[in-house]
Protein backbone atom coordinates (compact mmCIF):
# COMPACT_ATOMS: atom_id res chain seq x y z
CA UNK A 1 0.00 0.00 0.00
CA UNK A 2 2.95 2.32 0.54
CA UNK A 3 3.38 2.48 -3.25
CA UNK A 4 0.23 4.59 -3.55
CA UNK A 5 2.14 7.89 -3.44
CA UNK A 6 4.51 6.68 -6.15
CA UNK A 7 1.58 5.48 -8.28
CA UNK A 8 -0.13 8.85 -8.04
CA UNK A 9 3.09 10.69 -8.87
CA UNK A 10 3.72 8.54 -11.94
CA UNK A 11 0.13 8.84 -13.18
CA UNK A 12 -0.69 12.39 -12.10
CA UNK A 13 -0.95 13.92 -15.57
CA UNK A 14 -3.02 11.02 -16.91
CA UNK A 15 -5.42 11.16 -13.96
CA UNK A 16 -5.92 14.90 -14.47
CA UNK A 17 -6.42 14.53 -18.21
CA UNK A 18 -9.05 11.82 -17.66
CA UNK A 19 -10.84 13.94 -15.07
CA UNK A 20 -10.75 16.96 -17.36
CA UNK A 21 -12.29 14.90 -20.14
CA UNK A 22 -15.31 14.22 -17.92
CA UNK A 23 -15.53 17.82 -16.71
CA UNK A 24 -15.63 19.08 -20.31
CA UNK A 25 -18.95 17.29 -20.83
CA UNK A 26 -21.58 19.82 -19.57
CA UNK A 27 -23.81 17.40 -17.68
CA UNK A 28 -26.40 19.86 -16.39
CA UNK A 29 -29.19 17.52 -15.29
CA UNK A 30 -31.74 20.28 -14.79
CA UNK A 31 -31.75 21.24 -18.50
CA UNK A 32 -33.29 19.33 -21.40
CA UNK A 33 -30.59 20.87 -23.59
CA UNK A 34 -28.03 18.48 -22.10
CA UNK A 35 -29.71 15.10 -22.63
CA UNK A 36 -27.04 14.05 -25.14
CA UNK A 37 -24.30 15.16 -22.76
CA UNK A 38 -25.63 12.82 -20.06
CA UNK A 39 -25.25 9.91 -22.49
CA UNK A 40 -21.72 11.00 -23.43
CA UNK A 41 -20.72 11.16 -19.77
CA UNK A 42 -22.16 7.71 -19.05
CA UNK A 43 -20.16 6.22 -21.93
CA UNK A 44 -17.04 8.07 -20.77
CA UNK A 45 -17.41 6.68 -17.25
CA UNK A 46 -18.06 3.17 -18.55
CA UNK A 47 -14.82 3.22 -20.51
CA UNK A 48 -12.89 4.65 -17.57
CA UNK A 49 -14.24 2.03 -15.19
CA UNK A 50 -13.27 -0.77 -17.55
CA UNK A 51 -9.79 0.69 -18.02
CA UNK A 52 -9.47 1.05 -14.24
CA UNK A 53 -10.05 -2.67 -13.70
CA UNK A 54 -13.77 -3.34 -13.48
CA UNK A 55 -14.83 -6.74 -14.83
CA UNK A 56 -18.28 -5.64 -15.93
CA UNK A 57 -19.82 -2.24 -16.62
CA UNK A 58 -23.32 -1.58 -17.94
CA UNK A 59 -25.23 1.59 -18.78
CA UNK A 60 -28.88 1.42 -17.72
CA UNK A 61 -31.23 3.77 -19.50
CA UNK A 62 -33.93 5.38 -17.35
CA UNK A 63 -36.70 7.91 -17.84
CA UNK A 64 -34.11 10.50 -16.89
CA UNK A 65 -30.31 10.30 -17.05
CA UNK A 66 -28.53 6.96 -17.56
CA UNK A 67 -27.10 5.06 -14.60
CA UNK A 68 -23.65 3.50 -14.84
CA UNK A 69 -23.24 0.24 -12.92
CA UNK A 70 -19.91 -1.54 -12.60
CA UNK A 71 -18.41 -4.32 -10.53
CA UNK A 72 -15.30 -6.31 -9.79
CA UNK A 73 -15.74 -9.55 -7.88
CA UNK A 74 -12.70 -10.96 -6.12
CA UNK A 75 -14.38 -13.68 -4.09
CA UNK A 76 -18.04 -14.19 -3.15
CA UNK A 77 -16.97 -14.87 0.45
CA UNK A 78 -15.41 -11.40 0.83
CA UNK A 79 -17.18 -8.22 1.85
CA UNK A 80 -18.57 -5.90 -0.81
CA UNK A 81 -18.09 -2.13 -0.95
CA UNK A 82 -20.42 -0.20 -3.27
CA UNK A 83 -19.27 3.20 -4.52
CA UNK A 84 -21.93 5.83 -5.12
CA UNK A 85 -21.34 9.08 -6.96
CA UNK A 86 -22.99 11.41 -9.45
CA UNK A 87 -21.77 12.89 -12.72
CA UNK A 88 -24.41 15.59 -13.14
CA UNK A 89 -23.71 19.19 -12.19
CA UNK A 90 -25.48 22.44 -11.45
CA UNK A 91 -25.83 25.06 -14.20
CA UNK A 92 -22.84 27.37 -14.59
CA UNK A 93 -24.97 30.48 -14.08
CA UNK A 94 -28.40 31.63 -12.99
CA UNK A 95 -29.60 32.08 -16.57
CA UNK A 96 -29.29 29.69 -19.54
CA UNK A 97 -25.85 30.02 -21.10
CA UNK A 98 -24.67 32.54 -18.52
CA UNK A 99 -21.08 32.35 -17.24
CA UNK A 100 -21.28 35.54 -15.19
CA UNK A 101 -18.82 35.53 -12.30
CA UNK A 102 -16.51 32.90 -13.78
CA UNK A 103 -12.84 33.82 -14.29
CA UNK A 104 -12.44 31.01 -16.84
CA UNK A 105 -14.89 28.95 -18.94
CA UNK A 106 -16.84 26.71 -16.51
CA UNK A 107 -16.55 23.57 -18.62
CA UNK A 108 -12.94 24.07 -19.64
CA UNK A 109 -10.95 23.08 -16.53
CA UNK A 110 -8.04 25.30 -15.63
CA UNK A 111 -5.43 24.89 -12.91
CA UNK A 112 -4.61 28.04 -10.94
CA UNK A 113 -2.93 28.23 -7.55
CA UNK A 114 -2.83 24.42 -7.33
CA UNK A 115 -6.61 24.22 -7.75
CA UNK A 116 -8.80 22.92 -10.56
CA UNK A 117 -11.38 25.55 -11.56
CA UNK A 118 -14.47 24.21 -13.36
CA UNK A 119 -18.08 23.26 -12.81
CA UNK A 120 -18.02 19.79 -11.26
CA UNK A 121 -14.36 20.02 -10.21
CA UNK A 122 -15.46 19.15 -6.66
CA UNK A 123 -19.18 18.37 -6.87
CA UNK A 124 -18.97 15.59 -7.80
CA UNK A 125 -16.73 14.71 -10.74
CA UNK A 126 -13.49 15.36 -8.89
CA UNK A 127 -14.61 13.29 -5.94
CA UNK A 128 -15.90 10.50 -8.20
CA UNK A 129 -12.42 10.34 -9.69
CA UNK A 130 -10.96 9.93 -6.22
CA UNK A 131 -12.96 6.72 -5.98
CA UNK A 132 -12.15 5.58 -9.53
CA UNK A 133 -8.41 6.06 -9.15
CA UNK A 134 -8.15 4.52 -5.67
CA UNK A 135 -9.93 1.49 -7.12
CA UNK A 136 -7.66 1.53 -10.18
CA UNK A 137 -4.53 1.51 -8.02
CA UNK A 138 -5.73 -1.43 -5.92
CA UNK A 139 -7.01 -3.41 -8.90
CA UNK A 140 -3.91 -2.93 -11.06
CA UNK A 141 -1.48 -3.72 -8.23
CA UNK A 142 -3.48 -6.77 -7.08
CA UNK A 143 -4.11 -5.28 -3.65
CA UNK A 144 -7.90 -5.20 -3.80
CA UNK A 145 -9.16 -7.17 -0.81
CA UNK A 146 -12.92 -7.00 -1.32
CA UNK A 147 -15.58 -7.00 -4.00
CA UNK A 148 -16.42 -3.57 -5.40
CA UNK A 149 -19.53 -2.24 -7.09
CA UNK A 150 -20.12 1.19 -8.63
CA UNK A 151 -23.38 3.05 -9.09
CA UNK A 152 -22.98 6.44 -10.77
CA UNK A 153 -26.04 8.53 -11.52
CA UNK A 154 -26.87 11.72 -13.39
CA UNK A 155 -29.79 13.17 -11.42
CA UNK A 156 -28.45 13.91 -7.95
CA UNK A 157 -28.80 17.65 -8.42
CA UNK A 158 -32.47 17.25 -9.41
CA UNK A 159 -33.67 14.72 -6.83
CA UNK A 160 -32.35 11.27 -7.88
CA UNK A 161 -35.76 10.11 -9.11
CA UNK A 162 -34.48 7.49 -11.56
CA UNK A 163 -32.01 5.87 -9.19
CA UNK A 164 -34.77 5.38 -6.64
CA UNK A 165 -36.65 3.28 -9.20
CA UNK A 166 -33.40 1.54 -10.17
CA UNK A 167 -32.67 0.50 -6.58
CA UNK A 168 -36.11 -1.03 -6.15
CA UNK A 169 -35.76 -2.89 -9.45
CA UNK A 170 -32.22 -4.26 -8.90
CA UNK A 171 -32.05 -4.92 -5.16
CA UNK A 172 -30.25 -8.23 -5.57
CA UNK A 173 -27.59 -6.82 -7.89
CA UNK A 174 -26.95 -3.91 -5.54
CA UNK A 175 -26.36 -5.95 -2.40
CA UNK A 176 -23.35 -4.68 -0.45
CA UNK A 177 -21.95 -4.50 3.06
CA UNK A 178 -21.35 -0.74 2.96
CA UNK A 179 -21.88 2.12 0.52
CA UNK A 180 -18.90 4.45 0.19
CA UNK A 181 -19.60 8.04 -0.86
CA UNK A 182 -17.31 10.96 -1.65
CA UNK A 183 -19.66 13.90 -2.06
CA UNK A 184 -19.05 15.82 1.16
CA UNK A 185 -16.08 17.65 2.64
CA UNK A 186 -13.49 18.02 5.36
CA UNK A 187 -13.08 20.90 7.78
CA UNK A 188 -9.67 21.96 6.45
CA UNK A 189 -6.57 20.54 4.78
CA UNK A 190 -5.00 20.10 8.20
CA UNK A 191 -8.24 18.97 9.90
CA UNK A 192 -9.91 15.91 8.37
CA UNK A 193 -13.50 15.09 9.22
CA UNK A 194 -16.11 12.43 8.54
CA UNK A 195 -19.65 13.47 7.76
CA UNK A 196 -22.03 11.60 10.06
CA UNK A 197 -25.20 13.49 9.19
CA UNK A 198 -26.87 15.08 6.18
CA UNK A 199 -29.85 17.36 6.09
CA UNK A 200 -32.81 16.40 3.94
CA UNK A 201 -34.50 18.68 1.44
CA UNK A 202 -37.92 19.78 0.21
CA UNK A 203 -37.63 21.88 -2.94
CA UNK A 204 -40.60 24.01 -3.97
CA UNK A 205 -41.74 26.41 -6.66
CA UNK A 206 -44.30 29.12 -5.98
CA UNK A 207 -46.24 31.09 -8.58
CA UNK A 208 -48.47 34.05 -7.77
CA UNK A 209 -50.82 34.99 -10.62
CA UNK A 210 -52.55 38.37 -10.69
CA UNK A 211 -54.11 40.03 -13.76
CA UNK A 212 -54.18 38.21 -17.10
CA UNK A 213 -51.40 40.42 -18.51
CA UNK A 214 -48.89 43.04 -17.37
CA UNK A 215 -50.56 46.34 -16.45
CA UNK A 216 -49.49 49.98 -16.49
CA UNK A 217 -48.26 50.57 -12.93
CA UNK A 218 -49.48 54.16 -12.96
CA UNK A 219 -53.01 53.49 -14.13
CA UNK A 220 -53.52 50.31 -12.09
CA UNK A 221 -50.99 50.61 -9.25
CA UNK A 222 -52.75 50.66 -5.88
CA UNK A 223 -55.98 49.23 -7.29
CA UNK A 224 -54.88 45.76 -8.43
CA UNK A 225 -52.87 43.28 -6.36
CA UNK A 226 -49.27 43.23 -7.56
CA UNK A 227 -48.07 39.57 -7.63
CA UNK A 228 -44.48 40.63 -6.92
CA UNK A 229 -45.56 42.63 -3.87
CA UNK A 230 -47.75 39.79 -2.69
CA UNK A 231 -45.06 37.14 -3.15
CA UNK A 232 -42.45 39.11 -1.22
CA UNK A 233 -44.91 39.66 1.65
CA UNK A 234 -45.74 35.95 1.73
CA UNK A 235 -42.06 35.03 1.78
CA UNK A 236 -41.43 37.52 4.60
CA UNK A 237 -44.21 35.81 6.57
CA UNK A 238 -42.25 32.54 6.50
CA UNK A 239 -40.00 33.84 9.32
CA UNK A 240 -40.55 35.46 12.69
CA UNK A 241 -38.39 38.12 14.34
CA UNK A 242 -35.92 35.46 15.58
CA UNK A 243 -35.43 33.94 12.10
CA UNK A 244 -37.48 31.00 13.26
CA UNK A 245 -39.50 29.43 10.43
CA UNK A 246 -43.11 30.46 11.04
CA UNK A 247 -44.92 27.64 9.21
CA UNK A 248 -47.27 25.97 11.72
CA UNK A 249 -46.08 22.45 12.56
CA UNK A 250 -42.73 22.89 10.81
CA UNK A 251 -40.68 21.97 13.89
CA UNK A 252 -43.00 19.30 15.30
CA UNK A 253 -40.77 16.39 14.27
CA UNK A 254 -37.36 18.03 14.60
CA UNK A 255 -34.96 15.82 16.55
CA UNK A 256 -33.79 17.86 19.55
CA UNK A 257 -30.07 17.49 20.18
CA UNK A 258 -28.97 17.12 23.79
CA UNK A 259 -26.81 19.67 25.56
CA UNK A 260 -23.99 17.13 25.70
CA UNK A 261 -24.10 16.63 21.91
CA UNK A 262 -24.08 20.38 21.34
CA UNK A 263 -21.00 20.67 23.56
CA UNK A 264 -19.25 18.00 21.46
CA UNK A 265 -20.20 19.80 18.24
CA UNK A 266 -18.71 23.01 19.59
CA UNK A 267 -15.30 21.31 19.85
CA UNK A 268 -14.96 21.24 16.05
CA UNK A 269 -12.40 23.81 14.82
CA UNK A 270 -14.20 26.96 13.73
CA UNK A 271 -13.14 30.58 13.32
CA UNK A 272 -16.08 32.98 12.89
CA UNK A 273 -13.90 35.80 11.57
CA UNK A 274 -12.22 33.62 8.93
CA UNK A 275 -15.60 32.16 7.98
CA UNK A 276 -16.99 35.63 7.32
CA UNK A 277 -13.87 36.84 5.52
CA UNK A 278 -13.93 33.85 3.17
CA UNK A 279 -17.52 34.64 2.20
CA UNK A 280 -17.10 38.41 2.05
CA UNK A 281 -19.75 39.07 4.71
CA UNK A 282 -19.69 41.21 7.84
CA UNK A 283 -21.41 38.72 10.12
CA UNK A 284 -23.32 35.46 10.16
CA UNK A 285 -27.10 35.38 10.26
CA UNK A 286 -29.70 32.84 11.29
CA UNK A 287 -31.98 31.33 13.87
CA UNK A 288 -31.56 32.93 17.29
CA UNK A 289 -30.07 30.74 20.01
CA UNK A 290 -27.88 28.57 17.76
CA UNK A 291 -24.29 28.76 16.59
CA UNK A 292 -23.29 28.79 12.93
CA UNK A 293 -22.26 25.12 13.07
CA UNK A 294 -25.56 24.20 14.69
CA UNK A 295 -27.61 26.21 12.19
CA UNK A 296 -26.09 24.26 9.30
CA UNK A 297 -25.87 20.88 11.01
CA UNK A 298 -28.72 20.20 13.41
CA UNK A 299 -31.34 22.84 12.57
CA UNK A 300 -33.60 23.10 9.51
CA UNK A 301 -33.48 26.10 7.21
CA UNK A 302 -35.48 27.79 4.46
CA UNK A 303 -33.99 29.78 1.59
CA UNK A 304 -35.11 31.48 -1.59
CA UNK A 305 -33.02 30.01 -4.41
CA UNK A 306 -34.42 32.29 -7.10
CA UNK A 307 -37.14 34.91 -7.50
CA UNK A 308 -38.40 36.58 -10.68
CA UNK A 309 -41.19 38.81 -11.95
CA UNK A 310 -41.94 41.62 -14.34
CA UNK A 311 -39.35 43.76 -16.09
CA UNK A 312 -35.72 42.96 -15.17
CA UNK A 313 -33.75 44.28 -18.13
CA UNK A 314 -31.62 47.42 -18.18
CA UNK A 315 -33.63 50.64 -18.35
CA UNK A 316 -37.20 51.25 -17.23
CA UNK A 317 -40.60 49.79 -17.97
CA UNK A 318 -43.27 50.68 -15.46
CA UNK A 319 -45.39 47.57 -15.27
CA UNK A 320 -47.48 45.84 -12.68
CA UNK A 321 -46.50 42.22 -13.53
CA UNK A 322 -49.10 39.56 -14.19
CA UNK A 323 -47.20 36.97 -12.15
CA UNK A 324 -44.29 36.44 -9.79
CA UNK A 325 -42.43 33.22 -9.01
CA UNK A 326 -39.84 31.84 -6.64
CA UNK A 327 -37.91 28.64 -6.04
CA UNK A 328 -37.50 27.80 -2.37
CA UNK A 329 -35.57 25.01 -0.67
CA UNK A 330 -36.01 23.80 2.87
CA UNK A 331 -33.20 21.79 4.45
CA UNK A 332 -34.50 19.25 6.92
CA UNK A 333 -33.06 17.47 9.95
CA UNK A 334 -33.63 13.96 11.37
CA UNK A 335 -37.30 12.94 11.81
CA UNK A 336 -38.59 15.58 9.38
CA UNK A 337 -40.27 14.10 6.30
CA UNK A 338 -40.00 16.08 3.04
CA UNK A 339 -43.52 15.18 1.84
CA UNK A 340 -45.04 16.38 5.11
CA UNK A 341 -42.98 19.58 5.13
CA UNK A 342 -43.93 20.30 1.51
CA UNK A 343 -47.62 19.99 2.40
CA UNK A 344 -47.23 22.27 5.45
CA UNK A 345 -45.43 24.81 3.27
CA UNK A 346 -48.18 24.75 0.64
CA UNK A 347 -51.00 24.95 3.16
CA UNK A 348 -49.41 27.93 4.89
CA UNK A 349 -48.87 29.94 1.72
CA UNK A 350 -52.39 29.26 0.50
CA UNK A 351 -53.78 30.30 3.89
CA UNK A 352 -52.12 33.72 3.81
CA UNK A 353 -52.68 34.51 0.11
CA UNK A 354 -54.93 37.58 -0.45
CA UNK A 355 -58.08 37.24 -2.57
CA UNK A 356 -56.73 39.31 -5.47
CA UNK A 357 -54.27 36.64 -6.63
CA UNK A 358 -54.10 32.91 -7.38
CA UNK A 359 -51.25 30.97 -5.77
CA UNK A 360 -49.83 27.71 -7.10
CA UNK A 361 -47.31 25.68 -5.13
CA UNK A 362 -45.37 22.86 -6.76
CA UNK A 363 -43.25 20.28 -4.94
CA UNK A 364 -40.25 19.72 -7.24
CA UNK A 365 -38.29 17.11 -5.29
CA UNK A 366 -37.28 15.99 -1.82
CA UNK A 367 -34.95 13.79 0.16
CA UNK A 368 -34.81 12.60 3.76
CA UNK A 369 -32.11 13.46 6.31
CA UNK A 370 -29.48 10.84 7.16
CA UNK A 371 -27.41 10.02 10.23
CA UNK A 372 -24.54 7.49 10.13
CA UNK A 373 -23.60 5.79 13.41
CA UNK A 374 -20.00 6.54 14.37
CA UNK A 375 -19.68 3.12 16.04
CA UNK A 376 -20.05 1.10 12.82
CA UNK A 377 -17.09 -0.79 11.36
CA UNK A 378 -16.89 1.39 8.27
CA UNK A 379 -16.55 4.50 10.42
CA UNK A 380 -13.62 3.00 12.31
CA UNK A 381 -11.95 2.06 9.02
CA UNK A 382 -12.54 5.53 7.59
CA UNK A 383 -11.14 7.14 10.73
CA UNK A 384 -7.97 5.05 10.50
CA UNK A 385 -7.60 5.91 6.82
CA UNK A 386 -7.83 9.67 7.42
CA UNK A 387 -5.45 9.40 10.35
CA UNK A 388 -2.98 7.49 8.15
CA UNK A 389 -2.88 10.14 5.41
CA UNK A 390 -3.52 13.35 7.39
CA UNK A 391 -1.70 12.30 10.59
CA UNK A 392 -4.70 13.44 12.58
CA UNK A 393 -7.85 11.74 13.86
CA UNK A 394 -10.85 13.01 11.87
CA UNK A 395 -13.62 14.99 13.55
CA UNK A 396 -17.22 13.75 13.13
CA UNK A 397 -19.36 16.51 11.61
CA UNK A 398 -22.88 17.07 10.33
CA UNK A 399 -23.26 18.59 6.90
CA UNK A 400 -25.81 21.22 5.99
CA UNK A 401 -26.09 19.75 2.50
CA UNK A 402 -28.29 16.97 1.19
CA UNK A 403 -27.71 13.79 -0.80
CA UNK A 404 -31.28 12.56 -1.38
CA UNK A 405 -30.37 8.99 -2.28
CA UNK A 406 -28.46 8.14 0.93
CA UNK A 407 -31.48 7.60 3.16
CA UNK A 408 -33.20 5.70 0.35
CA UNK A 409 -30.24 3.31 0.11
CA UNK A 410 -30.82 2.34 3.72
CA UNK A 411 -34.60 2.02 3.28
CA UNK A 412 -34.58 0.03 0.05
CA UNK A 413 -31.27 -1.84 0.14
CA UNK A 414 -30.86 -2.04 3.92
CA UNK A 415 -27.29 -0.75 3.59
CA UNK A 416 -25.58 1.99 5.58
CA UNK A 417 -23.36 4.59 3.93
CA UNK A 418 -20.03 6.03 5.01
CA UNK A 419 -19.44 9.59 3.80
CA UNK A 420 -15.76 10.18 3.07
CA UNK A 421 -15.60 13.54 1.34
CA UNK A 422 -12.61 15.74 0.54
CA UNK A 423 -14.14 19.08 -0.47
CA UNK A 424 -13.62 22.38 1.33
CA UNK A 425 -16.06 25.18 2.13
CA UNK A 426 -13.96 27.43 -0.11
CA UNK A 427 -14.56 25.20 -3.16
CA UNK A 428 -17.58 27.31 -4.21
CA UNK A 429 -19.72 24.36 -5.25
CA UNK A 430 -22.95 25.43 -7.04
CA UNK A 431 -21.37 28.88 -7.52
CA UNK A 432 -19.09 30.59 -10.06
CA UNK A 433 -15.43 29.54 -9.91
CA UNK A 434 -16.09 26.15 -8.35
CA UNK A 435 -12.71 24.64 -7.58
CA UNK A 436 -11.00 21.60 -6.13
CA UNK A 437 -7.52 21.52 -4.65
CA UNK A 438 -4.99 19.18 -6.25
CA UNK A 439 -3.86 18.36 -2.72
CA UNK A 440 -7.35 17.23 -1.78
CA UNK A 441 -7.75 15.22 -4.98
CA UNK A 442 -4.56 13.24 -4.55
CA UNK A 443 -4.68 12.78 -0.79
CA UNK A 444 -8.27 11.66 -1.31
CA UNK A 445 -7.08 8.86 -3.59
CA UNK A 446 -4.57 7.81 -0.93
CA UNK A 447 -7.13 7.91 1.86
CA UNK A 448 -9.73 5.84 0.01
CA UNK A 449 -7.12 3.23 -0.89
CA UNK A 450 -6.24 2.90 2.80
CA UNK A 451 -9.94 2.66 3.68
CA UNK A 452 -10.21 -0.62 1.75
CA UNK A 453 -7.35 -2.14 3.72
CA UNK A 454 -8.63 -1.03 7.12
CA UNK A 455 -12.20 -2.01 6.28
CA UNK A 456 -11.12 -5.56 5.45
CA UNK A 457 -9.08 -5.73 8.65
CA UNK A 458 -11.99 -4.50 10.78
CA UNK A 459 -14.43 -6.90 9.12
CA UNK A 460 -12.14 -9.85 9.76
CA UNK A 461 -11.59 -9.15 13.45
Amino acid sequence: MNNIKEYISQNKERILNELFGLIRIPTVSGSADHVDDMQKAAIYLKENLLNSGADKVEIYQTEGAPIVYGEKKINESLQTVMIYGHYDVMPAGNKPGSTEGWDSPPFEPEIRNEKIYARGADDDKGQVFIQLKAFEYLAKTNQLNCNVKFILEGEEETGSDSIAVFCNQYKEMLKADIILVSDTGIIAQDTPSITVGLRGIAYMQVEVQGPNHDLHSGIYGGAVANPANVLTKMIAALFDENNHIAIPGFYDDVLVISHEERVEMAKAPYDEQKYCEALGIKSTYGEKGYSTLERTGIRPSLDINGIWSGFTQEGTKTVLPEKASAKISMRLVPNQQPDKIAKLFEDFLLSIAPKGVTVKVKYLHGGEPYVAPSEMIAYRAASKAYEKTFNKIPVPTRSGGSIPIISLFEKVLGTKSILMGFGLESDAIHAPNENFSLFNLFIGIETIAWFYQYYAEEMNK
Side-chain angles (χ1 to χ4, degrees):
M1 188 68 71
N2 291 325
N3 293 329
I4 180 68
K5 289 182 181 291
E6 182 180 344
Y7 186 86
I8 291 172
S9 178
Q10 292 174 348
N11 292 278
K12 179 179 178 180
E13 293 305 315
R14 175 181 62 82
I15 291 171
L16 288 174
N17 286 334
E18 291 177 10
L19 170 57
F20 290 0
L22 180 62
I23 287 174
R24 288 189 180 104
I25 306 172
T27 49
V28 181
S29 55
S31 171
D33 293 337
H34 294 281
V35 171
D36 290 343
D37 292 316
M38 310 308 281
Q39 295 292 335
K40 289 178 185 176
I43 293 169
Y44 190 94
L45 285 166
K46 176 181 179 178
E47 293 174 352
N48 201 280
L49 267 171
L50 289 170
N51 292 335
S52 295
D55 297 328
K56 168 188 170 185
V57 184
E58 298 289 343
I59 296 175
Y60 289 81
Q61 300 300 333
T62 72
E63 291 187 4
I67 293 170
V68 182
Y69 172 81
E71 63 180 38
K72 186 172 185 66
K73 292 184 178 179
I74 304 297
N75 190 312
E76 292 287 355
S77 65
L78 295 176
Q79 63 276 358
T80 297
V81 174
M82 185 160 73
I83 309 302
Y84 164 80
H86 67 92
Y87 61 86
D88 65 318
V89 297
M90 284 288 185
N94 293 331
K95 296 179 181 179
S98 171
T99 59
E100 184 179 354
W102 286 87
D103 295 331
S104 55
F107 294 105
E108 185 52 54
E110 183 175 298
I111 296 177
R112 304 192 301 271
N113 304 316
E114 294 298 302
K115 297 178 181 179
I116 304 166
Y117 284 84
R119 173 60 83 232
D122 172 340
D123 185 19
D124 184 40
K125 292 177 179 178
Q127 299 218 54
V128 163
F129 255 71
I130 285 174
Q131 295 291 344
L132 290 177
K133 297 307 144 184
F135 166 75
E136 174 188 289
Y137 165 73
L138 294 171
K140 291 194 172 183
T141 58
N142 296 314
Q143 296 185 72
L144 195 61
N145 51 14
C146 64
N147 304 309
V148 181
K149 297 178 179 180
F150 288 85
I151 183 169
L152 308 175
E153 68 151 322
E155 297 177 40
E156 194 275 342
E157 302 292 11
T158 54
S160 296
D161 290 342
S162 295
I163 200 172
V165 176
F166 183 80
C167 287
N168 277 287
Q169 189 173 356
Y170 295 101
K171 287 181 184 179
E172 189 65 28
M173 183 177 78
L174 299 175
K175 280 187 175 179
D177 295 286
I178 192 68
I179 299 171
L180 176 57
V181 183
S182 291
D183 193 15
T184 52
I186 55 175
I187 293 173
Q189 290 181 333
D190 61 355
T191 309
S193 54
I194 300 175
T195 302
V196 295
L198 295 166
R199 290 197 289 187
I201 187 172
Y203 196 84
M204 317 295 295
Q205 182 164 318
V206 181
E207 180 183 280
V208 178
Q209 176 74 53
N212 56 15
H213 60 278
D214 287 355
L215 302 177
H216 188 293
S217 66
I219 296 173
Y220 295 96
V224 176
N226 183 322
N229 293 355
V230 171
L231 177 59
T232 53
K233 284 184 178 181
M234 292 171 68
I235 289 173
L238 291 169
F239 298 92
D240 67 14
E241 66 278 6
N242 294 317
N243 292 318
H244 194 85
I245 297 167
I247 300 171
F250 186 89
Y251 292 94
D252 286 358
D253 300 323
V254 169
L255 179 65
V256 178
I257 303 300
S258 69
H259 172 72
E260 290 74 21
E261 288 176 288
R262 291 179 71 177
V263 169
E264 285 301 310
M265 280 191 69
K267 292 179 181 178
Y270 173 73
D271 187 312
E272 183 91 357
Q273 183 177 344
K274 288 183 178 180
Y275 183 88
C276 291
E277 288 175 354
L279 298 176
I281 59 176
K282 293 182 179 180
S283 65
T284 55
Y285 181 88
E287 186 181 3
K288 187 177 180 179
Y290 294 91
S291 68
T292 299
L293 292 179
E294 290 173 336
R295 289 168 183 161
T296 58
I298 63 172
R299 298 296 292 173
S301 63
L302 185 154
D303 286 284
I304 302 168
N305 305 126
I307 185 167
W308 63 99
S309 180
F311 181 74
T312 58
Q313 300 175 37
E314 187 177 354
T316 62
K317 185 181 180 183
T318 52
V319 297
L320 188 157
E322 66 169 302
K323 67 175 65 173
S325 303
K327 291 183 186 289
I328 295 173
S329 64
M330 292 168 284
R331 301 290 176 162
L332 314 178
V333 296
N335 292 353
Q336 286 186 300
Q337 296 297 314
D339 291 356
K340 179 179 178 181
I341 293 298
K343 185 66 167 60
L344 291 173
F345 176 88
E346 179 179 10
D347 289 347
F348 178 65
L349 285 190
L350 294 179
S351 73
I352 63 174
K355 292 181 179 180
V357 298
T358 300
V359 176
K360 295 180 182 178
V361 180
K362 187 177 182 181
Y363 179 28
L364 298 180
H365 71 81
E368 294 185 18
Y370 178 76
V371 176
S374 57
E375 66 270 13
M376 64 181 179
I377 289 174
Y379 183 93
R380 295 201 298 271
S383 182
K384 287 183 177 181
Y386 279 110
E387 186 176 4
K388 177 70 177 179
T389 55
F390 285 85
N391 296 312
K392 188 178 289 187
I393 297 173
V395 178
T397 61
R398 293 200 181 199
S399 170
S402 307
I403 308 177
I405 195 63
I406 299 299
S407 59
L408 185 135
F409 280 148
E410 185 170 359
K411 275 188 172 181
V412 176
L413 304 178
T415 311
K416 289 282 188 183
S417 297
I418 182 72
L419 305 170
M420 295 183 67
F422 297 90
L424 297 170
E425 282 188 353
S426 58
D427 289 352
I429 61 174
H430 296 195
N433 295 317
E434 178 180 351
N435 62 89
F436 195 40
S437 165
L438 294 176
F439 171 84
N440 290 50
L441 173 66
F442 295 125
I443 202 169
I445 296 171
E446 285 186 55
T447 307
I448 294 300
W450 280 105
F451 168 80
Y452 282 97
Q453 176 163 320
Y454 291 130
Y455 183 63
E457 290 177 1
E458 290 289 331
M459 289 290 285
N460 293 326
K461 280 185 178 179

